[in-house]
Amino acid sequence: GEDVEQSLFLSVREGDSSVINCTYTDSSSTYLYWYKQEPGAGLQLLTYIFSNMDMKQDQRLTVLLNKKDKHLSLRIADTQTGDSAIYFCAEISGTYKYIFGTGTRLKVLA
Amino acid sequence: GAVVSQHPSRVICKSGTSVKIECRSLDFQATTMFWYRQFPKQSLMLMATSNEGSKATYEQGVEKDKFLINHASLTLSTLTVTSAHPEDSSFYICSANIIRQGESNEKLFFGSGTQLSVL
């Protein structure tokens, strides 16, 4: 099927690291993306990774890619209350469509 | 800054009326835009691909007569929900693919979304 799976909820304390996981479906996806959605808003592109990379770091964000297992993760260092949102991973399918994950709702506790 | 502008952000309408949602690309031309629908606490569901100068491509199960898409210019796509019913109440989001000069891959940028409530 075309389901890109994520865990639904994650709760962390402010200052801790958050790790959001994603299992995608299309091994031929060239790029994989992470988006953030705040309440009542559209999606904001956070970062992306090229499929021939294992890791990409961008300030507080670290993306890890395991192509063999089709597993993608997003690590947010020093998580802040402003990071509370829903996070979506996305891949581009063979039919050139973006397939979004189910979304992970991150709650940061002060 | 925002590269895709969507409005209105919120609309409340009576059952049976039609609602138009606009999606504009800012500072770039978008030959293709996408329309998504999002139910509460769920992921995005692709409704249709809007192609400039031609008919939109609808996903399976999406009624093209119900959700009219017009992409008459390279910077504007509109979604019209015709004869709206309460079950059409949802969050609608548009997006456009962009490959910026000097970059190797496309990125999908989103509008801010429209919350439609049909009474």
Side-chain angles (χ1 to χ4, degrees), chain B residues 13-38:
Chain B
C13 70
K14 291 183 179 179
S15 190
T17 60
S18 294
V19 174
K20 181 186 283 189
I21 303 170
E22 292 189 349
C23 183
R24 292 183 185 275
S25 59
L26 306 177
D27 299 326
F28 70 96
Q29 295 179 335
T31 55
T32 303
M33 290 186 177
F34 304 91
W35 287 97
Y36 292 85
R37 183 173 180 176
Q38 186 180 30

Side-chain angles (χ1 to χ4, degrees), chain A residues 33-75:
Chain A
Y33 302 84
W34 281 104
Y35 285 86
K36 176 184 180 182
Q37 185 181 33
E38 297 186 12
L43 276 68
Q44 173 195 354
L45 176 63
L46 283 179
T47 188
Y48 62 93
I49 188 168
F50 187 43
S51 60
N52 70 348
M53 299 170 64
D54 296 324
M55 184 183 84
K56 179 181 179 182
Q57 187 153 1
D58 184 359
Q59 299 182 333
R60 290 192 298 125
L61 305 178
T62 303
V63 179
L64 295 178
L65 175 60
N66 181 329
K67 277 195 75 174
K68 176 176 171 290
D69 295 336
K70 287 187 276 186
H71 186 263
L72 182 72
S73 68
L74 174 69
R75 179 177 180 269

Side-chain angles (χ1 to χ4, degrees), chain B residues 36-50:
Chain B
Y36 292 85
R37 183 173 180 176
Q38 186 180 30
F39 291 100
K41 299 182 180 179
Q42 293 191 24
S43 188
L44 283 74
M45 180 190 79
L46 179 64
M47 298 174 65
T49 302
S50 171

Side-chain angles (χ1 to χ4, degrees), chain A residues 16-29:
Chain A
D16 288 348
S17 293
S18 308
V19 179
I20 302 170
N21 295 302
C22 169
T23 302
Y24 61 98
T25 61
D26 191 341
S27 57
S28 65
S29 293

Side-chain angles (χ1 to χ4, degrees), chain A residues 12-18 76-81 108-109:
Chain A
V12 300
R13 292 195 180 280
E14 190 174 19
D16 288 348
S17 293
S18 308
I76 305 173
D78 188 25
T79 313
Q80 304 296 308
T81 53
V108 182
L109 305 172

